[in-house]
Structures are given as structure tokens and as C-alpha cells.
Amino acid sequence: MKHIFSFLILSTFIFILACEKEEAECQKITFYKDADGDGLGNKSESISICDQPTGYVSNSNDTDDVPKTTQISEIPTKGVSSPNSYPGMQLVWADEFDGNSLDEKNWNYEIGDGCPTLCGWGNNELQYYKKENTTVKDGYLMIEAKSEIAGSKSYSSSRINTQNKFNFKYGRVDIRAAIPNTKGLWSALWMLGKNFPTVGWPKCGEIDIMEVVGGFETDNTVLGTVHWDNNNTHAEYGGKLAVNGFTLKEAFHVYSIVWDEKKITWYVDNVQFHVIDVTPSGLSELREEFFLIFNVAVGGNLSGNPDGFTKLPQKMIVDYVRVFK
């Protein structure tokens, strides 16, 4: 019996030693929580353990580790829409932004800071336009302004146009969009005359369907303006509308013009806020073909520069653009 007891003690001792040896051989590794399941870990939530636990990864590269079930969509769920047709008019061109990339049969990218011929894009703007800041996803076009070094600038954004791909004269334009709102951003849905490359600005004419200057007092004010040449002098005429209710960022609004040989009328959500008579001979450039431009500028003569209240990145989100005649 004594021998059996001694054997049990010896066996237990050997087992303990084996466990301690196995535990000593385990090298603990730091794993990082991956709450949103994208394969990237959160550096602020880690655990050191021998075996990788479920929901953790070995890298700490995630900058926004929010569970997918609680992520807030950047696409507004509220807002106004416009009809697909109008009495006596026909849809002649549209982009609903389906697919996963910008349709380059419709659009051109403008790249850079405007230099050397038009540095700052003629307005002392601070951004460098990049192709990468334009994305198309889930039926929406997104133009993003960022605080980052791009070219020789400290900000980046995007600017696209339909020049030589879709030029038109007269009709109704509807653009459903959500507009960013922060100091120093200047968002625009606008048009330039087709002959801009040969005659320059303002002789080509400019029609601004919508401009919004970011800032606490201006975030919800829509500008509608035309520019033209008056005996070799720049002339302009504009109106504005303060939109009540949901902000221009948190809800979609429809920005429109109705344009014919007699006048241009501006609307937000089909509410008229500005009109100009284009029949005078001095306004002849406003009775020619134009092309569309979408962009978000950073800084510039109209908006002023970003400051300590500026929040970037931000996106202008466009649901669709439709042209009727």
C-alpha cells in the first residue's frame, strides 16, 4: 500500500512538471478586437494570450472599429424626390449613378490645382483635385473633401464635368443631392458654356444651379447665380434661399433650373427662389450650349478658408441628375 501511495505522489508530481513545462513553452501573443469583422483590429482593445480568441486579430490597423449592426449610414434616409417625368417634356439625359464606378462615357475628371494656367482654379481655392475622391456606390455619387497632403496642397477633393460628352441648351435640370456643411467648404452643381476653351470666362457664361458655402450661418442657404461678360467686364446676378427643416447634409433636396430662350428659373424642392430674363442682347452667352460640373472646393474667395471649426472629411452625395427638354 505504501508503494502504491508513493507511485501516486510521483505520478502527480510528474504531471505537474509536464503542465508547467507546457505552460512555459506557450508564447503569449497580443491580439486586437475586431468588432466590425473587417479583419482589422482596434489598437485600444487588446488581449495577450497563447491562442487567438474569436473576434480578435493580430493587427491593429482599424481606425473605425464599429460593429456593422450599429454603424450609421452616411447616406441620408430623409428628403425630397422629384418625378421621373413632366408634362410636355422628355427625359433626354440622366445619370442615376448605378454600378461601382463613375461612367466615363458621361463624365471627365479634372485633376490638380489649376496650375499653371489657373492656379487655385481662379478663386484662390486650397484643394488638389484627385480622381480617387470620387466614388460611386449603391446608386450614389460621392465627392469627398479631405484634409491631406495632395500635390502641393493640404486638402484634396474632386471635380467632374460632362464637357464634350453631354452639352445641351435649354430644358429642366433636376439634381437630388445631400450637401456637406462645415466652414471652408464650397459645394457646387453648376454649368459652363461649351465654348469656354476658346473664349474663356466669363464670356462663355456660367449658370450655377446650386452653390452652398459652408459655415454656421450659411450651411442651409442655397445660392443660384449666373455670370456673363458685360462689355469686357464680369457681371453676375444671383438669388438665395434659406432652406428650413432638415439640414442640406442630413436630408436629400432637389436642386433645379428651368431654362429656355426667355428666362432661367431656380428651384429647391420645386419651390422657386430666383429668376432672370435672358432675352437682352448682352446676355446672349446664356442662350448657348452648356455642360455640367460637380465639385466640392476647399477655401476660396466665396467660402473663406477652413478654421478650427472645420470638420473633414466630408462628402457631397448625389443620388441622380436628370435633364428634360
Side-chain angles (χ1 to χ4, degrees), residues 82-143:
S82 57
N84 292 318
S85 62
Y86 293 94
M89 304 192 81
Q90 177 182 352
L91 181 68
V92 295
W93 185 89
D95 199 330
E96 303 289 332
F97 301 109
D98 297 324
N100 298 309
S101 61
L102 189 70
D103 187 349
E104 295 189 52
K105 294 192 300 295
N106 290 337
W107 300 95
N108 308 294
Y109 292 97
E110 296 192 57
I111 307 298
D113 57 9
C115 292
T117 57
L118 199 62
C119 291
W121 298 96
N123 296 299
N124 295 311
E125 297 167 23
L126 303 179
Q127 79 287 335
Y128 187 96
Y129 285 131
K130 297 168 56 180
K131 180 177 181 179
E132 293 80 4
N133 291 50
T134 289
T135 56
V136 174
K137 183 180 179 181
D138 299 327
Y140 298 96
L141 164 75
M142 304 182 196
I143 293 180

Side-chain angles (χ1 to χ4, degrees), residues 275-307:
V275 63
I276 184 174
D277 178 1
V278 299
T279 59
S281 59
L283 297 177
S284 61
E285 51 263 64
L286 301 179
R287 302 191 301 272
E288 300 295 338
E289 289 192 7
F290 278 68
F291 59 88
L292 293 161
I293 306 172
F294 294 178
N295 74 291
V296 179
V298 182
N301 298 338
L302 187 60
S303 64
N305 294 339
D307 59 19

Side-chain angles (χ1 to χ4, degrees), residues 61-246:
N61 298 330
D62 208 331
T63 58
D64 183 23
D65 193 41
V66 181
K68 291 180 179 179
T69 55
T70 62
Q71 283 181 338
I72 299 175
S73 173
E74 60 190 344
I75 308 299
T77 58
K78 303 180 288 286
V80 175
S81 296
S82 57
N84 292 318
S85 62
Y86 293 94
M89 304 192 81
Q90 177 182 352
L91 181 68
V92 295
W93 185 89
D95 199 330
E96 303 289 332
F97 301 109
D98 297 324
N100 298 309
S101 61
L102 189 70
D103 187 349
E104 295 189 52
K105 294 192 300 295
N106 290 337
W107 300 95
N108 308 294
Y109 292 97
E110 296 192 57
I111 307 298
D113 57 9
C115 292
T117 57
L118 199 62
C119 291
W121 298 96
N123 296 299
N124 295 311
E125 297 167 23
L126 303 179
Q127 79 287 335
Y128 187 96
Y129 285 131
K130 297 168 56 180
K131 180 177 181 179
E132 293 80 4
N133 291 50
T134 289
T135 56
V136 174
K137 183 180 179 181
D138 299 327
Y140 298 96
L141 164 75
M142 304 182 196
I143 293 180
E144 184 171 20
K146 300 179 182 180
S147 177
E148 65 173 357
I149 300 299
S152 61
K153 301 297 183 179
S154 298
Y155 302 94
S156 68
S157 188
S158 256
R159 173 165 155 162
I160 59 175
N161 69 58
T162 66
Q163 186 175 17
N164 297 324
K165 294 181 177 179
F166 175 65
N167 306 305
F168 71 105
K169 182 171 71 170
Y170 305 147
R172 179 180 180 118
V173 182
D174 287 341
I175 306 172
R176 187 174 192 253
I179 309 301
N181 58 355
T182 195
K183 179 69 171 73
L185 286 193
W186 177 3
S187 304
L189 307 168
W190 55 298
M191 307 194 298
L192 278 180
K194 177 183 176 181
N195 59 354
F196 167 69
T198 55
V199 303
W201 185 91
K203 290 185 177 181
C204 65
E206 175 180 328
I207 303 172
D208 300 325
I209 301 169
M210 180 237 52
E211 290 180 291
V212 172
V213 176
F216 179 73
E217 295 181 346
T218 57
D219 275 335
N220 250 33
T221 299
V222 178
L223 307 177
T225 312
V226 288
H227 303 261
W228 70 96
D229 176 75
N230 180 24
N231 294 321
N232 297 317
T233 301
H234 166 226
E236 63 179 271
Y237 179 62
K240 61 184 179 180
L241 175 69
V243 179
N244 297 319
F246 296 117

Side-chain angles (χ1 to χ4, degrees), residues 257-271:
I257 60 167
V258 176
W259 170 36
D260 59 31
E261 68 278 5
K262 294 182 178 180
K263 62 184 179 180
I264 304 172
T265 307
W266 284 256
Y267 300 86
V268 175
D269 300 336
N270 213 34
V271 175

Side-chain angles (χ1 to χ4, degrees), residues 30-49:
T30 301
F31 295 97
Y32 301 90
K33 191 171 183 179
D34 178 18
D36 58 6
D38 62 356
L40 304 176
N42 184 347
K43 64 181 178 182
S44 66
E45 294 190 54
S46 63
I47 185 172
S48 293
I49 197 170

